[in-house]
Amino acid sequence: MELLKASDLVKRFGNTNAVKGINFHIEEGRCVSLLGPNGAGKTTTLKMLSGLLEPTSGSIDFKGEKAKDLRPFIGYLPQYPAFFNWMSGKEFLVFAGQLAKLNRKEAEKRGEELLERVGLTNAKKRRIGGYSGGMKQRLGLAQALIHRPKLLILDEPVSALDPLGRREVLDMMREIKEETTILFSTHVLHDAEEISDDILIMHAGEIAISGSLASVREAYRQPILQIELESQAADWLNRVASYSFVSEVNIQGNKTSIVLKDIVNGKQTLLKDIVERKLPIRKFEISQTTLEDLFLKVVKV
Ligand SMILES: Nc1ncnc2c1ncn2[C@@H]1O[C@H](COP(=O)(O)OP(=O)(O)O)[C@@H](O)[C@H]1O
Ligand SMILES: [Mg+2]
């Protein structure tokens, strides 16, 4: 079932077109990553979905209806969360619960549940100022879940963390996604690949590619030939680029990767070339382009 749909969503800041009319939807129960380099428009998009920024134009539907105020349905963890360092973890969650309109008793109960959920029960009475980065981010997750939102929106939840903190938070997200739909942004492909079901690749205010992780991988996969020579062979490689079965040639020193449209023909012709020209070959390997190749290509243009 479709939980949220963004239609022709635009955000301009003065002359900056941060988000240029994007369309996408989020299915209930999925973990969706919004992947893109810095400045792509991820934070702006997430803030519009969370109701923190008014779109310049376009609309957001929640469960098929135009939504005025999405805040009851959405939990949001900002890119740079601010905590009151003098509060304890428990005090902070009770405070957040009351802001989300729970009464004191409910906020206390829900706070305890969530502290348990994010593994902070033992640290609940300690001041937040003494928490590690991973602990703070887990407390941030608990805060975003306090009112049992239908959709959890996390802006770069692991980007600022050291490897240990990153692992803690990704593991936590993997557990949370069993019960709550998640949309999170990241500029790190690896994070998107690790836990998302669906992926939206954003670049320069637009969504360049979207779909399930598996289908995007499949749809954009191309055969690629990696060749390594003992010396450079610029003449030949220039010729290779003009073969009709070649779509791309990338040369890095003695290593060259050749993206092929036709693997059978490509392999035969290039091998024949190498033998005939007596090129000093060190490696001739066939593989497939990865999501990383696709991502780099999208963000380069
Ligand atoms: N409040 C603002 N005022 C002016 N420009 C902004 C503002 N917020 C974001 N931008 C610009 O919008 C673009 C997208 O920014 P942002 O959504 O933060 O990207 P990301 O989160 O993908 O790094 C950038 O060019 C940024 O400089
Ligand atoms: Mg951002």
Side-chain angles (χ1 to χ4, degrees):
M1 191 190 143
E2 187 178 281
L3 191 60
L4 182 142
K5 185 171 88 179
S7 311
D8 303 320
L9 212 54
V10 172
K11 184 67 193 182
R12 275 192 289 272
F13 298 106
N15 291 330
T16 307
N17 277 336
V19 174
K20 300 175 185 166
I22 58 175
N23 291 283
F24 63 91
H25 68 271
I26 290 171
E27 292 281 323
E28 188 154 26
R30 306 290 280 182
C31 177
V32 185
S33 59
L34 180 62
L35 176 68
N38 286 330
K42 303 182 298 295
T43 294
T44 306
T45 301
L46 298 184
K47 281 187 175 167
M48 288 192 280
L49 301 183
S50 316
L52 294 170
L53 263 182
E54 183 79 20
T56 304
S57 61
S59 60
I60 300 163
D61 293 2
F62 196 79
K63 289 198 170 174
E65 288 180 30
K66 292 263 169 298
K68 271 217 177 67
D69 186 1
L70 286 174
R71 283 173 301 178
F73 311 112
I74 287 180
Y76 175 67
L77 179 61
Q79 183 164 4
Y80 306 107
F83 295 104
F84 299 108
N85 282 330
W86 46 268
M87 278 188 181
S88 71
K90 170 80 189 286
E91 284 166 345
F92 178 72
L93 286 186
V94 172
F95 172 72
Q98 288 177 305
L99 284 182
K101 305 206 167 74
L102 302 182
N103 66 39
R104 171 105 203 165
K105 212 166 144 219
E106 286 164 345
E108 297 254 359
K109 183 159 171 286
R110 184 74 181 140
E112 289 289 349
E113 269 171 38
L114 285 166
L115 284 162
E116 180 74 40
R117 184 88 191 69
V118 300
L120 288 175
T121 301
N122 290 336
K124 69 179 181 182
K125 290 188 179 149
R126 278 165 49 193
R127 281 159 41 104
I128 298 169
Y131 283 15
S132 69
M135 290 166 81
K136 280 189 186 168
Q137 207 64 338
R138 284 187 279 139
L139 183 65
L141 285 174
Q143 161 268 311
L145 288 167
I146 197 96
H147 57 304
R148 301 178 197 278
K150 291 273 178 250
L151 173 65
L152 184 62
I153 294 183
L154 312 171
D155 196 357
E156 305 255 6
V158 297
S159 302
L161 299 176
D162 61 20
L164 190 65
R166 183 176 163 275
R167 177 74 6 244
E168 280 174 34
V169 172
L170 281 172
D171 288 347
M172 193 93 288
M173 285 167 66
R174 190 173 292 113
E175 281 181 40
I176 293 170
K177 83 176 199 178
E178 297 302 317
E179 41 201 60
T180 308
T181 310
I182 300 181
L183 171 65
F184 76 102
S185 72
T186 175
H187 61 273
V188 181
L189 173 67
H190 191 81
D191 297 337
E193 282 190 288
E194 183 169 333
I195 64 164
S196 56
D197 305 308
D198 299 324
I199 186 168
L200 301 163
I201 304 184
M202 196 168 187
H203 175 57
E206 294 178 296
I207 291 184
I209 288 166
S210 63
S212 73
L213 195 59
S215 70
V216 168
R217 261 205 198 109
E218 185 64 38
Y220 292 89
R221 188 150 50 189
Q222 285 177 293
I224 187 166
L225 181 61
Q226 316 274 2
I227 295 180
E228 193 178 332
L229 300 168
E230 273 157 27
S231 57
Q232 298 193 4
D235 288 352
W236 176 60
L237 290 170
N238 280 335
R239 231 193 85 174
V240 166
S242 64
Y243 281 134
S244 62
F245 54 78
V246 168
S247 66
E248 214 178 297
V249 177
N250 296 304
I251 304 174
Q252 277 181 323
N254 293 349
K255 293 184 185 173
T256 303
S257 59
I258 302 170
V259 183
L260 297 169
K261 287 179 214 158
D262 176 352
I263 177 80
V264 177
N265 190 9
K267 192 167 60 177
Q268 283 172 357
T269 310
L270 296 175
L271 264 179
K272 203 162 124 247
D273 272 8
I274 289 169
V275 173
E276 279 173 5
R277 289 164 181 259
K278 298 194 173 64
L279 295 170
I281 191 154
R282 195 180 283 160
K283 184 171 130 187
F284 186 94
E285 186 181 281
I286 291 160
S287 57
Q288 304 254 306
T289 54
T290 60
L291 208 52
E292 181 161 7
D293 298 320
L294 172 66
F295 181 53
L296 291 175
K297 206 157 149 189
V298 166
V299 305
K300 219 162 56 182
V301 289

